[in-house]
Amino acid sequence: MTDDHRSGCPINLSLEVFGDKWSLLIIRDMIFGGKRHFRELLRSQEGISTNILADRLKTLVEIGMLTKADDPSHKQKAIYSLTEMAIALVPIMAHLGAWGRRYLPVTEELSIRAQLMEEGGPELWERFMRELRAEHLGDPLPEGPSVRQTLQAAYDRVVARKAMEEQPA
């Protein structure tokens, strides 16, 4: 064990990686939002600052959660990709979402994806991880509608319904 860590406890070591909210939110936005560029990640609903985002991206690359490469479509842009280490967080994200839905004051539109992830269980999570491996690691893409598209469509339906409900009669 090195002096860089408080202990060899797996929970402690995990918290050293995810001890701040921004790292998990960046991973969340990449997994569920398909965001791959700095500017896309900067537009997070939670309002991350540019210096914090740059620092967390650098750290996530250093610890092996993300890779960074030049974007072939734009010379001044970098594209970030999830590694297997980050893709393996899908079940944890599903459990965090389920816990949050159960115990915290969530909104319907922002919790619908968590609900579907919980209801879909391990089979859905594994399919989603296969899709993420195709997107980020170059694995073959599974056939059929993507999990991310299904989750986004559910979110869009809730937003549209709520907008209709708010209109005066």
Side-chain angles (χ1 to χ4, degrees):
M1 171 138 89
T2 69
D3 293 336
D4 296 342
H5 304 290
R6 288 184 292 269
S7 80
C9 168
I11 293 172
N12 169 69
L13 292 170
S14 298
L15 287 173
E16 286 183 18
V17 173
F18 304 115
D20 72 296
K21 70 178 182 176
W22 297 118
S23 296
L24 274 179
L25 292 177
I26 290 165
I27 300 293
R28 176 206 63 187
D29 287 352
M30 292 182 72
I31 288 174
F32 294 101
K35 297 178 179 185
R36 307 275 306 263
H37 296 95
F38 187 90
R39 292 258 175 242
E40 292 172 329
L41 292 162
L42 192 58
R43 291 191 291 265
S44 170
Q45 179 179 354
E46 291 80 13
I48 191 170
S49 66
T50 57
N51 61 323
I52 299 282
L53 177 58
D55 178 69
R56 293 317 181 278
L57 286 170
K58 180 178 181 261
T59 299
L60 290 168
V61 168
E62 286 172 354
I63 62 175
M65 300 285 290
L66 303 178
T67 60
K68 178 182 177 182
D70 292 333
D71 186 337
S73 69
H74 193 285
K75 296 214 185 285
Q76 295 178 336
K77 279 184 171 180
I79 188 164
Y80 292 91
S81 296
L82 300 167
T83 64
E84 183 60 34
M85 185 186 218
I87 292 168
L89 290 171
V90 166
I92 293 167
M93 293 288 203
H95 284 291
L96 280 172
W99 183 87
R101 283 184 60 246
R102 193 167 296 122
Y103 296 110
L104 301 173
V106 300
T107 63
E108 182 184 3
E109 62 271 19
L110 293 178
S111 66
I112 187 65
R113 288 177 268 229
Q115 177 183 337
L116 295 176
M117 289 292 289
E118 181 179 10
E119 291 170 355
E123 185 178 316
L124 181 72
W125 309 340
E126 189 55 47
R127 177 171 174 74
F128 198 12
M129 289 188 292
R130 284 194 309 271
E131 292 170 4
L132 290 168
R133 288 182 193 107
E135 181 180 345
H136 292 267
L137 305 176
D139 287 5
L141 185 63
E143 292 186 20
S146 81
V147 172
R148 187 184 295 133
Q149 289 170 336
T150 302
L151 298 174
Q152 185 63 39
Y155 168 81
D156 292 340
R157 284 191 301 275
V158 171
V159 169
R161 181 182 49 77
K162 289 185 87 126
M164 292 295 291
E165 290 171 357
E166 291 175 3
Q167 289 183 354

